[in-house]
Amino acid sequence: MQGGGHGRHGHGRRGRGNRASFLDEPAPSSRCFPFSCAIAGTRLRRGDPSPEAMDAGDESPRASGCGLFRRRRARSTSSIPSLEPAGAAAERMAPDAGMPRRGKGSDDATSIVPVPVPLPVVKARAGPAAVQMPRRTPEAVRALPPPTTAAAVGKGIVAELDGMLYDRQRAAANGGGSLLRASSGNVMLYGNLGNLRGNPKNPPSQNLLDYLPKTAKEAKADAITSPTPAQEPELCRALSTRRDPEELKEMGNEEYKEGRFAEALAMYDRAIVMDPGKASYYANKAAALTGLGRLFDAVAQCKEAIRIDPAYHRAHHRLASLYLRLGEAGKAVHHFKQSRNEASPWDKSRAQALQSHVSQSNEARRIKDYLTLLKGSESAASSGADSSPQVFALRAEALLKLQRHDEADSIMSSAPRFGIDESTKFFGATANSYFLMIRAQVDMAAGRFEEAVAAAQKAAQLDPGNRETAMVARRARAVASARARGNDLFRASKFAEACVAYGEGLNHDSQNAALLFNRAACRSKLGHYEKAVEDCNAALAVRPSYGKARRRRADCNAQLERWEASVKDYELLVQENLEDDQLAKALSEAQAMLKKKQDELFQIVN
């Protein structure tokens, strides 16, 4: 029985959040709603006429209902342990033969109360599965006597459900349409109705609302939130049926043309599973992976396509284009030649130009000609190497050496973020070590000392014999240690000692803007405003966008009564931080003092 089926016919129970509208789904004649059995029993007990009610002596399964009130259910209820002494059973059953003991769901667990004999089987209604509540006017509902509880009269489960129906009718008559929430007692009671144990791996719902008919508001909400078969994605329908792999490939091509690369990838994957020996499927999958930015995976798929069909020119062309983007100029040139007519003369010239620019950049780096290095690396990027970590590292190194730290940080921030392991496997340990070494230097210049140490140490591990990499790792550790020590001293208000600590860090990296700013802060605390301005000037020379250093310089110039320089810095800061009230106030005060000074000079001259 799937999903906690009910009775012998086992319809599945659905949760409230993701099921389709109960009122919109017609129920076959073999289905029944668990709560309808309880309603039918309530009608019989109340004396309500019901056209579906069978004769009390009819035991045939013509109604094809859930079997809740059939005689065979007495066997399951008899398994409930008795709460009375064994000797009292015979005396109790003598006057009331056929009266079963009360089940576990009772409100009064200490008393034994008579329960009526099993009620006759009720025919299942052939219409919608929703339970139709009796139509009563509000006046008639209010006039109903309150139902007696199971504890008071001993009517068991039927009386308990009778009370819930009464409360629902009263709530509806008073203008409320919400369903009653199940209490812990109700959940226990309802768990004993029918065969609701279901599959142990899929326990039935413990919420009584799952078995009650929905309100109109709930049905409307489910109709909006629940997807209809017409709204199912074409992708799911395509992958859930056996299609021809060529048809899947064509569908993937359509998704690719629309820019839906993930959907196209799923189509190509399915086609490969159905026919793994078709080279075009791998080449198309490589195109989808490229659209998703997974360039290494795309290279692997192109290689697989070429392995299957070495003369597949389009796969060679696609692989050459990937190598061009990744900065592998020699491999790009080779595969462009193998692609024959697929490659245009412009493709081949770009690959050859990239090869030339990379060679020129490496030579310029060797002789420390950083202007040529910058120009060559920029030309390499414009030749198509837009995803090459090595080309990005060459540009960043040139900018660092030219004291343009902000630009270097911007370049490395836009570099592709490949995993260290996969990048090492693709480019080699030496090439990836160089990239990590430059990243460590950029992070250190930007004040990200922990990241700098991690990158430098990883670079040294990848290329342990490289002296330059080892030196960068030692310098990163020394600078990070000095900065941490200086910060501790500054927080302890030991500004002179902190100034010395930051100075030790600057001995290893004299142009580090973060250390220069920190030392300026210490000097301003000590009243050495002139020295503080010098440190701020040095920091802003390598990082013009360093707002903290600019503000520190503005404050120090104000202390030195250099109002013109102070106003200039404050104006730039206010433009970048329009909502900073303190900056606006400082600017206003500096402007007032500048005007006062100008007026005094004017009076002296005249």
Side-chain angles (χ1 to χ4, degrees):
M1 190 183 303
Q2 300 292 331
H6 179 59
R8 186 176 59 183
H9 305 285
H11 59 75
R13 278 181 278 173
R14 294 165 293 186
R16 298 189 59 197
N18 57 356
R19 61 185 177 183
S21 174
F22 182 78
L23 300 176
D24 295 336
E25 181 180 341
S29 60
S30 64
R31 293 180 63 180
C32 69
F33 194 64
F35 201 61
S36 62
C37 301
I39 295 174
T42 305
R43 287 177 175 170
L44 291 173
R45 294 181 56 78
R46 284 184 177 177
D48 294 342
S50 175
E52 295 89 352
M54 297 175 58
D55 182 64
D58 192 354
E59 298 180 13
S60 64
R62 290 175 296 147
S64 65
C66 66
L68 173 61
F69 298 101
R70 295 181 186 174
R71 294 182 183 277
R72 64 183 179 86
R73 295 298 296 165
R75 290 196 297 272
S76 63
T77 55
S78 65
S79 63
I80 302 175
S82 174
L83 299 178
E84 65 178 342
E91 297 177 5
R92 183 183 59 76
M93 293 299 295
D96 298 321
M99 300 297 258
R101 292 189 298 260
R102 188 172 183 180
K104 289 190 295 183
S106 170
D107 290 334
D108 185 3
T110 60
S111 62
I112 305 300
V113 294
V115 180
V117 297
L119 297 175
V121 178
V122 181
K123 293 181 180 180
R125 186 170 297 181
V131 178
Q132 302 293 331
M133 302 299 293
R135 298 288 184 178
R136 291 187 176 95
T137 63
E139 293 77 10
V141 172
R142 294 190 185 96
L144 288 174
T148 54
T149 63
V153 182
K155 300 303 181 183
I157 297 172
V158 174
E160 188 74 15
L161 297 175
D162 187 12
M164 288 190 289
L165 288 174
Y166 174 81
D167 293 338
R168 172 173 167 75
Q169 291 168 345
R170 291 294 300 268
N174 292 329
S178 60
L179 298 176
L180 293 175
R181 293 285 177 185
S183 65
S184 58
N186 292 337
V187 170
M188 292 176 61
L189 283 171
Y190 205 80
N192 294 326
L193 289 181
N195 184 15
L196 298 179
R197 290 180 176 86
N199 191 338
K201 296 182 179 179
N202 299 298
S205 173
Q206 297 298 311
N207 193 349
L208 185 57
L209 292 173
D210 294 339
Y211 305 98
L212 292 175
K214 286 189 173 185
T215 63
K217 182 177 180 180
E218 290 176 323
K220 181 178 180 181
D222 281 347
I224 295 174
T225 59
S226 300
T228 62
Q231 296 171 336
E232 291 292 331
E234 182 68 20
L235 172 64
C236 296
R237 288 198 296 270
L239 299 181
S240 63
T241 59
R242 291 188 61 84
R243 290 180 178 268
D244 182 76
E246 282 294 321
E247 186 178 357
L248 285 170
K249 185 191 79 169
E250 293 301 326
M251 294 175 66
N253 292 347
E254 294 299 323
E255 298 290 345
Y256 181 85
K257 292 175 184 177
E258 297 295 328
R260 294 189 287 267
F261 303 120
E263 291 81 353
L265 179 61
M267 295 291 182
Y268 298 140
D269 277 334
R270 181 62 178 170
I272 290 172
V273 170
M274 298 177 70
D275 187 1
K278 200 65 173 294
S280 62
Y281 301 162
Y282 295 93
N284 288 11
K285 180 180 178 180
L289 289 168
T290 302
L292 294 172
R294 296 165 57 182
L295 302 186
F296 293 160
D297 294 334
V299 168
Q301 295 302 314
C302 286
K303 288 182 177 180
E304 182 64 19
I306 293 172
R307 186 194 65 81
I308 296 172
D309 184 4
Y312 191 15
H313 298 155
R314 182 168 297 180
H316 281 288
H317 183 271
R318 188 156 288 158
L319 182 57
S321 299
L322 288 168
Y323 278 135
L324 182 71
R325 294 188 61 185
L326 292 168
E328 297 292 298
K331 295 178 181 179
V333 170
H334 170 73
H335 284 284
F336 274 134
K337 290 179 180 179
Q338 295 295 319
S339 63
R340 304 291 176 85
N341 295 331
E342 291 290 334
S344 65
W346 182 67
D347 290 332
K348 297 177 182 179
S349 65
R350 280 202 308 164
Q352 292 170 353
L354 174 62
Q355 195 171 26
S356 175
H357 294 316
V358 170
S359 299
Q360 180 185 9
S361 299
N362 289 332
E363 178 62 21
R365 180 176 183 273
R366 188 185 67 83
I367 63 176
K368 299 182 179 180
D369 184 359
Y370 297 113
L371 284 174
T372 303
L373 174 60
L374 180 60
K375 184 184 297 185
S377 58
E378 289 176 345
S379 298
S382 62
S383 296
D386 59 355
S387 300
S388 171
Q390 282 67 43
V391 171
F392 278 90
L394 288 170
R395 296 177 66 188
E397 182 180 15
L399 291 167
L400 280 175
K401 299 300 183 180
L402 295 172
Q403 305 301 323
R404 294 158 64 177
H405 294 181
D406 277 343
E407 296 177 61
D409 191 19
S410 177
I411 289 296
M412 290 301 287
S413 297
S414 59
R417 293 282 178 170
F418 297 129
I420 294 178
D421 293 336
E422 60 179 354
S423 186
T424 301
K425 182 179 179 181
F426 188 87
F427 296 108
T430 302
N432 200 31
S433 174
Y434 168 69
F435 174 78
L436 291 173
M437 179 187 68
I438 300 303
R439 170 174 285 179
Q441 295 181 64
V442 171
D443 286 338
M444 191 160 51
R448 297 185 292 267
F449 296 100
E450 291 77 10
E451 292 89 339
V453 171
Q457 289 178 344
K458 187 63 178 179
Q461 292 173 5
L462 290 176
D463 193 4
N466 192 312
R467 294 182 179 179
E468 183 181 10
T469 303
M471 182 185 65
V472 170
R474 287 194 301 269
R475 188 173 65 184
R477 289 192 295 267
V479 172
S481 176
R483 180 247 195 177
R485 188 168 62 257
N487 287 352
D488 292 339
L489 292 169
F490 186 90
R491 282 191 288 267
S493 299
K494 298 178 180 180
F495 303 119
E497 294 86 342
C499 188
V500 173
Y502 292 133
E504 292 176 357
L506 288 169
N507 291 335
H508 297 280
D509 187 3
S510 61
Q511 299 297 321
N512 190 282
L515 292 180
L516 288 168
F517 164 73
N518 287 359
R519 191 171 68 175
C522 293
R523 286 176 168 176
S524 66
K525 292 289 186 180
L526 294 171
H528 304 160
Y529 300 114
E530 191 69 46
K531 293 286 187 180
V533 169
E534 291 177 2
D535 283 342
C536 290
N537 290 338
L540 289 169
V542 294
R543 290 182 58 189
S545 64
Y546 200 178
K548 291 182 178 180
R550 188 174 299 278
R551 182 162 186 172
R552 177 70 63 182
R553 187 173 70 176
D555 293 341
C556 291
N557 280 325
Q559 293 293 333
L560 295 171
E561 297 185 357
R562 297 173 181 172
W563 302 115
E564 187 174 358
S566 179
V567 167
K568 184 178 179 180
D569 281 336
Y570 279 135
E571 286 177 343
L572 290 174
L573 291 168
V574 168
Q575 291 177 4
E576 298 172 357
N577 305 274
L578 297 177
E579 297 181 358
D580 193 325
D581 295 335
Q582 292 183 353
L583 277 176
K585 182 180 179 181
L587 173 60
S588 178
E589 292 176 354
Q591 288 174 337
M593 295 302 296
L594 176 61
K595 186 177 184 303
K596 180 179 179 181
K597 182 178 179 180
Q598 290 174 345
D599 291 343
E600 291 176 354
L601 290 174
F602 180 77
Q603 291 177 0
I604 293 173
V605 171
N606 294 333

